Amino acid sequence: MRVFWRGLGAVFLLVLIVGGYFAYTTVWGTPLKFNWLLNRQAVSYVFDHPEALTQIGAIDGTWFDFHSGKLDPYSLTERQDGYDRARKFISEIKAWDRSKLAPQEQLSYDIALWTYQRGLSEEKYPWLSAGGNAYQVNPAFGIQKELPNFLLNSHQITNTRLARHYADRLRAIAGVMDAVTADIDRQAKLGVIAPDFLIDNSVDQM
């Protein structure tokens, strides 16, 4: 019996070691598969953006819901964090030898790399809004349009928790719009002012 328990303990220890190594490489190190890296990058982005996590809808209203009472941060600091994240993701991707990947993985490699490099290319334009647009308020996809649409169409109210979080998000709108207003003032000082027709049409939407 003693031999049995020793053997069982050895197996358990081996499982812990293998599981720990697997968890480390997947979450922090170099994953065993390239697609796992892309999945990790996507999860990392989503968990920093409450609105994106709500649009996925997997954990909204559950005990794991830490986000549905928040809106995405809007600031120059957040924009810089996005650039830094893109650089980190590009470095992680380039650490893989593309020639050794399967054809579908090579396509994913190219698309992800292009996407991050495209976003990073905006860094040379400091006059852009904190959201990365020339004009954060505009009639096509301005924040004054997208934010209400998000609350109307994406934030589902199916239980008490989500109802309370919806109210939290409504209260958070003022802070976001104050940040947008301050950002527009910053752009104006840099000579970036939206044309009159964009301003008029945006005001009509409010």
Side-chain angles (χ1 to χ4, degrees), residues 4-200:
F4 170 78
W5 286 113
R6 285 180 178 175
L8 185 61
V11 171
F12 181 70
L13 179 61
L14 179 62
V15 169
L16 283 180
I17 293 174
V18 173
Y21 173 78
F22 177 79
Y24 172 80
T25 57
T26 301
V27 179
W28 295 285
T30 301
L32 300 179
K33 294 185 178 181
F34 178 71
N35 284 336
W36 292 357
L37 170 66
L38 298 186
N39 291 339
R40 184 179 73 187
Q41 292 178 345
V43 169
S44 173
Y45 173 85
V46 168
F47 270 72
D48 284 340
H49 293 79
E51 294 174 32
L53 198 51
T54 285
Q55 288 171 339
I56 294 174
I59 60 176
D60 285 50
T62 69
W63 286 105
F64 305 102
D65 183 349
F66 65 92
H67 65 284
S68 68
K70 304 173 185 177
L71 297 174
D72 286 354
Y74 183 92
S75 67
L76 293 177
T77 299
E78 174 62 21
R79 185 181 71 178
Q80 185 59 51
D81 288 345
Y83 294 146
D84 293 341
R85 179 188 293 111
R87 267 189 288 270
K88 177 176 180 289
F89 287 175
I90 289 172
S91 177
E92 290 176 342
I93 290 174
K94 287 186 174 181
W96 289 72
D97 185 346
R98 183 183 182 280
S99 65
K100 295 181 179 179
L101 300 177
Q104 186 61 45
E105 290 178 324
Q106 290 181 351
L107 179 60
S108 298
Y109 181 107
D110 294 339
I111 292 174
L113 200 59
W114 180 88
T115 300
Y116 296 141
Q117 290 174 334
R118 175 65 183 82
L120 195 57
S121 68
E122 298 173 354
E123 189 175 20
K124 61 177 177 265
Y125 304 115
W127 48 266
L128 288 174
S129 73
N133 304 314
Y135 311 117
Q136 190 65 26
V137 175
N138 65 78
F141 46 83
I143 194 168
Q144 86 291 341
K145 177 181 180 181
E146 295 299 315
L147 190 50
N149 285 343
F150 166 77
L151 290 170
L152 286 170
N153 301 318
S154 298
H155 187 120
Q156 304 297 313
I157 301 177
T158 57
N159 57 32
T160 303
R161 183 191 300 270
L162 285 171
R164 290 198 303 267
H165 286 183
Y166 189 85
D168 291 338
R169 273 178 162 162
L170 288 176
R171 286 189 286 268
I173 289 177
V176 173
M177 297 313 294
D178 285 345
V180 171
T181 301
D183 196 33
I184 290 174
D185 289 340
R186 175 190 67 86
Q187 287 186 286
K189 292 176 182 177
L190 296 174
V192 181
I193 301 175
D196 290 344
F197 74 91
L198 287 183
I199 297 175
D200 293 339

